[in-house]
Amino acid sequence: MIPLFELIDRNFFDHYNSNNLVEITWTRSNEKDFLCLARCYKESANAVFREVIYGEKDNGKYDDWFLAAAFSMRQAIELVLKAAVCKKGGNREIQECFQGDKHDLLKILQRCKGLHDDSVPSDRWSWLEGFCSSTSRWDSDSDLLRYPIKAGSGELSKHFAIDIVGTANLLNQAYELAEGLYGGLIDRCPLDQIMPSDFLSFTGNGLNNCVINASKLSGRYYATADGFAGMAYCLMEGCVELRVEEKALPILFCLRHAIEVSLKHLGCKRGVLGAKGNFGHSLEKLWKPSEEKLRVIAGESGWDVSLLDVASKQIRELGNIDKKGYLFRYPCSKSQEYEFIDKKIDLRSIYEYQMGLYSFLDGCNGCLDQEFELESEWRSF
């Protein structure tokens, strides 16, 4: 990993390695573009699932990487269902889906039902509808796996662990049925009727599974950020079976999201994000309060503030490229505007750029932890 001070002159769109150049192009056909990105997220999620399940045993992979991969598969299902709406729906239906249904899989599926013919076998439709209903009950806003699991978060906090293999199988069956619906071939999709149509599969066994820990919000912020950064690392440094074009946007999203969550972690320590720990997706707004505190600490300690200057520059640049956190998750905006298009990027360079920034912010979290400990000791006298 390249430290931030070595990236002082690095910009997002700089090219350094011709072996990792990727051209981001879209057809501007919502149907084709949503299907293409759905497959990218599906393949990336499954590559990480394989590493978590069959790779070297590691609790960080089970508890953190897995949730990032599960979110990515949920994202793939949402994208392919929206592709199905775009295939048969007119502009009005597409707009209502993007702006009204948003991330609610059940609402999107019900819109598909009104657009696609009645030839879908009842057993497959019933299973997919049950899955989407369960997903909407747990995660209608698509943030359950994307942000820290908070204490008291409904029924989830009552469970001990998520069954990794069971949940990966559930998500894959749901994706295959959803893409079958899109392609008109759902009747040919295999269906395991014994498999429950649930969003998540729970277990009382924590061994080699994802243990749910909703008690310490600060710790969950770290784990969530590290999970998405870990997925990006797994895709970039491993997963040789994937083409660089397949994993580019999932990597960019995972690192951008890890940076956002890390900034929210800093903000929670400063008490500037409120009880919900949320301040939107603007990286610059999230960074500003913590930057001010860190500059005070640096001034009092006689530290070099040049790294804060580099971090501020990179946060501002990344925030201007992806203002709302959706640029790498969707081909276009809710109003069907394409922004990240016809761009040639050096994936390795951007990976180093974002990972260096994430690592620096992780260090800042440690710095503030130490500062608060000293303040607590001083108040105790």
Side-chain angles (χ1 to χ4, degrees):
M1 186 182 302
I2 299 179
L4 191 67
F5 70 84
E6 292 187 18
L7 302 171
I8 189 168
D9 296 321
R10 186 76 61 93
N11 294 307
F12 189 89
F13 290 110
D14 287 345
H15 294 173
Y16 290 91
N17 190 333
S18 60
N19 293 328
N20 287 280
L21 291 181
V22 182
E23 190 164 358
I24 307 297
T25 59
W26 300 111
T27 66
R28 296 186 184 270
S29 162
N30 289 338
E31 172 200 339
K32 294 178 181 178
D33 293 337
F34 271 77
L35 178 64
C36 176
L37 191 56
R39 289 172 173 169
C40 290
Y41 269 92
K42 175 215 172 189
E43 294 300 330
S44 295
N46 275 328
V48 178
F49 281 152
R50 287 191 291 271
E51 174 59 29
V52 171
I53 295 168
Y54 301 113
E56 185 177 345
K57 297 184 185 301
D58 186 314
N59 286 337
K61 293 180 182 178
Y62 300 141
D63 296 342
D64 305 333
W65 291 22
F66 168 75
L67 291 179
F71 167 79
S72 297
M73 186 61 85
R74 187 225 186 273
Q75 176 70 12
I77 296 166
E78 179 186 328
L79 288 165
V80 78
L81 287 175
K82 286 181 174 177
V85 172
C86 295
K87 183 177 182 178
K88 294 290 185 75
N91 189 64
R92 178 180 175 183
E93 287 85 1
I94 294 171
Q95 204 64 43
E96 288 176 351
C97 177
F98 288 2
Q99 296 189 341
D101 301 341
K102 297 180 180 177
H103 310 293
D104 192 316
L105 296 191
L106 183 59
K107 289 182 179 179
I108 301 169
L109 182 67
Q110 288 170 340
R111 192 174 296 279
C112 290
K113 189 174 185 179
L115 294 171
H116 290 256
D117 58 40
D118 299 325
S119 62
V120 178
S122 59
D123 56 347
R124 284 156 175 77
W125 183 268
S126 177
W127 193 96
L128 186 57
E129 190 170 41
F131 172 85
C132 290
S133 177
S134 173
T135 306
S136 294
R137 180 168 64 88
W138 285 104
D139 189 29
S140 61
D141 295 326
S142 189
D143 59 9
L144 181 70
L145 307 177
R146 196 160 41 116
Y147 291 104
I149 298 170
K150 299 180 179 64
S153 54
E155 297 180 29
L156 188 62
S157 58
K158 300 176 184 178
H159 296 277
F160 177 68
I162 298 172
D163 178 353
I164 285 177
V165 174
T167 298
N169 287 336
L170 281 170
L171 291 167
N172 268 283
Q173 178 156 292
Y175 179 87
E176 294 303 329
L177 290 174
E179 185 165 331
L181 176 66
Y182 162 84
L185 302 172
I186 192 172
D187 57 318
R188 301 182 189 178
C189 294
L191 177 67
D192 183 349
Q193 295 180 323
I194 299 176
M195 189 183 296
S197 56
D198 296 325
F199 175 45
L200 299 170
S201 175
F202 296 104
T203 179
N205 179 14
L207 183 64
N208 299 344
N209 283 312
C210 176
V211 176
I212 299 169
N213 177 11
S215 59
K216 294 182 179 180
L217 181 58
S218 179
R220 284 308 311 166
Y221 264 101
Y222 169 77
T224 301
D226 209 48
F228 280 92
M231 177 168 174
Y233 169 81
C234 180
L235 290 171
M236 190 73 212
E237 304 299 352
C239 303
V240 294
E241 70 275 20
L242 297 183
R243 293 179 295 110
V244 67
E245 293 83 5
E246 288 180 294
K247 55 188 180 180
L249 288 176
I251 287 173
L252 296 188
F253 163 72
C254 283
L255 283 174
R256 195 269 184 210
H257 188 64
I259 290 166
E260 178 186 320
V261 174
S262 195
L263 286 169
K264 288 182 175 180
H265 190 191
L266 280 169
C268 281
K269 292 177 180 178
R270 293 286 302 128
V272 298
L273 302 186
K276 293 185 178 180
N278 199 337
F279 205 36
H281 305 289
S282 170
L283 300 185
E284 204 167 356
K285 288 182 180 179
L286 290 167
W287 168 240
K288 188 175 180 181
S290 300
E291 179 194 9
E292 292 171 354
K293 175 63 176 177
L294 288 165
R295 287 189 182 277
V296 170
I297 296 173
E300 292 174 347
S301 306
W303 296 344
D304 184 359
V305 297
S306 61
L307 282 183
L308 289 173
D309 295 334
V310 176
S312 296
K313 167 183 166 292
Q314 292 190 349
I315 288 170
R316 185 165 54 251
E317 182 184 29
L318 182 57
N320 286 333
I321 291 169
D322 185 11
K323 295 180 175 64
K324 298 180 180 179
Y326 72 80
L327 199 66
F328 310 131
R329 289 171 60 202
Y330 299 96
C332 62
S333 69
K334 293 177 183 177
S335 56
Q336 303 183 53
E337 296 173 348
Y338 283 79
E339 296 179 31
F340 199 61
I341 187 168
D342 298 329
K343 302 286 188 183
K344 184 172 284 189
I345 62 170
D346 180 344
L347 185 59
R348 169 65 63 180
S349 175
I350 295 177
Y351 170 80
E352 292 171 350
Y353 168 104
Q354 289 186 295
M355 189 63 86
L357 178 57
Y358 167 71
S359 300
F360 174 76
L361 294 174
D362 187 36
C364 289
N365 273 300
C367 175
L368 287 186
D369 282 341
Q370 190 176 42
E371 179 71 11
F372 294 151
E373 286 177 10
L374 291 172
E375 288 181 2
S376 297
E377 288 181 13
W378 181 81
R379 290 193 187 99
S380 66
F381 288 110

